Amino acid sequence: MVPPPLNGRPAPAQGPPKVPPAAAAPPPAMLPPGLLRRPLAAAAARLCGARGRPQVLASLATGPRQNNGIFYEIRTYDIKPSRMKEFVELVNKYFHLRTAHSELVGLWTVELGAMNKAVHVWKYDNFAHRTAVRKALANDKDWQGKFISPALTCIEKQHNEVAYLVPWCQLGKPSKEGGVYEWVTFQMKPGGPALWGESFQAAINAHINTGYTKLIGVFHTEYGLLNTVHVIWWNENPDHRAAGRHSAHEDARVVAAVRDSVRFLESQHNMLMIPLACSPLK
């Protein structure tokens, strides 16, 4: 029904009824800080044993290690081309002063794969042992005066790494003196031996089983460029090595093992090295 006019005038038109605005949603409840910390505390507790000692989760582990603290320092020196002969003479004459302090595994000059380069490997019982040796060397006047002072003028660049032997390898020795050494460096994908160790070991063993070469050691870096593996092989001479490699590449077992391991490989580099007279590995 139309409402009667007011004072003789028509009543104003009425619009649709107004709907009250919806109430705003309440802000999300904020958890007390103590509750936010509880999940983190629970996760941390799972990483600890009953006495609070950290426990390594299998998903975080990079693989097994040797059961002792022994490690190897790999030192690489780039020598000025015009001073290489002088450097070798200094090493052969005075390096006994250095080996009086700690064990030298081997010392080589590089013949192929690099030039004017020397590589030496030192064995230490633990990091405290290395610290003590370095302190003693700094105080050894004969070593500092007779070798270090003149040798430093021959060296362009120095580099060192710390590495462990992989747990399935023991440091080997050649059957006789007078061969050549091949130093192969593999840059592996991140993940450590837990990712690539089994395949890499199978490839190494496949080469060993051919009998053409002697494995000296397999080292995995701890300091330096990580995910690096250094493998040292011994051969009677470069031609013997070349013939053995050719034969190995025709062996179906070697080919299969290598193809499986290269899934984890980023890059590879090798050098042919000649041991110096003072090197225990000759």
Side-chain angles (χ1 to χ4, degrees):
M1 177 181 294
V2 179
L6 298 175
N7 299 324
R9 296 179 182 177
Q14 295 181 354
K18 294 183 178 179
V19 180
M30 298 297 291
L31 292 175
L35 289 179
L36 289 173
R37 289 193 292 266
R38 286 177 189 174
L40 296 176
R46 287 195 295 270
L47 292 175
C48 297
R51 298 183 181 178
R53 292 175 298 187
Q55 303 294 314
V56 177
L57 295 180
S59 60
L60 301 179
T62 58
R65 292 276 183 89
Q66 295 280 2
N67 294 325
N68 53 48
I70 292 174
F71 67 85
Y72 299 83
E73 182 180 5
I74 301 167
R75 299 177 71 94
T76 304
Y77 294 169
D78 290 332
I79 311 300
K80 296 175 182 178
S82 62
R83 307 290 295 279
M84 188 66 180
K85 181 180 178 182
E86 180 183 350
F87 177 80
V88 170
E89 290 174 349
L90 284 168
V91 168
N92 287 331
K93 186 174 183 179
Y94 294 116
F95 229 58
H96 66 279
L97 299 172
R98 173 62 183 85
T99 55
H101 291 274
S102 65
E103 181 180 348
L104 174 66
V105 174
L107 196 162
W108 306 265
T109 56
V110 179
E111 182 72 14
L112 298 172
M115 298 182 70
N116 304 303
K117 190 181 293 288
V119 181
H120 39 128
V121 179
W122 299 90
K123 180 180 178 181
Y124 293 102
D125 296 334
N126 48 48
F127 288 96
H129 178 210
R130 182 184 182 276
T131 298
V133 169
R134 300 302 298 176
K135 183 177 180 180
L137 287 169
N139 294 321
D140 187 328
K141 294 182 179 180
D142 277 349
W143 170 247
Q144 294 293 327
K146 294 179 179 179
F147 181 82
I148 291 296
S149 293
L152 285 179
T153 65
C154 302
I155 298 172
E156 280 193 322
K157 185 171 61 176
Q158 295 174 292
H159 174 72
N160 73 339
E161 299 171 283
V162 166
Y164 294 95
L165 278 172
V166 296
W168 43 268
C169 174
Q170 299 297 319
L171 196 62
K173 290 186 177 182
S175 57
K176 59 183 179 181
E177 294 185 359
V180 294
Y181 290 78
E182 183 179 11
W183 184 290
V184 189
T185 298
F186 300 89
Q187 188 59 41
M188 309 302 292
K189 292 182 178 180
L195 175 67
W196 43 257
E198 184 176 340
S199 295
F200 192 86
Q201 181 181 0
I204 293 294
N205 287 338
H207 281 88
I208 293 173
N209 292 337
T210 62
Y212 81 90
T213 187
K214 166 71 176 176
L215 178 66
I216 302 300
V218 181
F219 304 86
H220 178 222
T221 55
E222 180 76 6
Y223 288 97
L225 185 60
L226 298 180
N227 302 298
T228 302
V229 181
H230 299 292
V231 183
I232 307 176
W233 301 94
W234 176 87
N235 292 277
E236 290 185 9
N237 55 62
D239 289 319
H240 182 264
R241 181 258 180 200
R245 291 279 293 180
H246 181 77
S247 176
H249 290 167
E250 295 180 346
D251 189 317
R253 295 166 299 180
V254 174
V255 172
V258 169
R259 284 179 177 174
D260 182 63
S261 68
V262 296
R263 295 179 294 137
F264 309 108
L265 183 63
E266 296 282 0
S267 64
Q268 179 178 344
H269 178 255
N270 69 336
M271 302 183 296
L272 188 73
M273 309 189 304
I274 308 299
L276 294 186
C278 63
S279 175
L281 286 174
K282 291 185 172 61

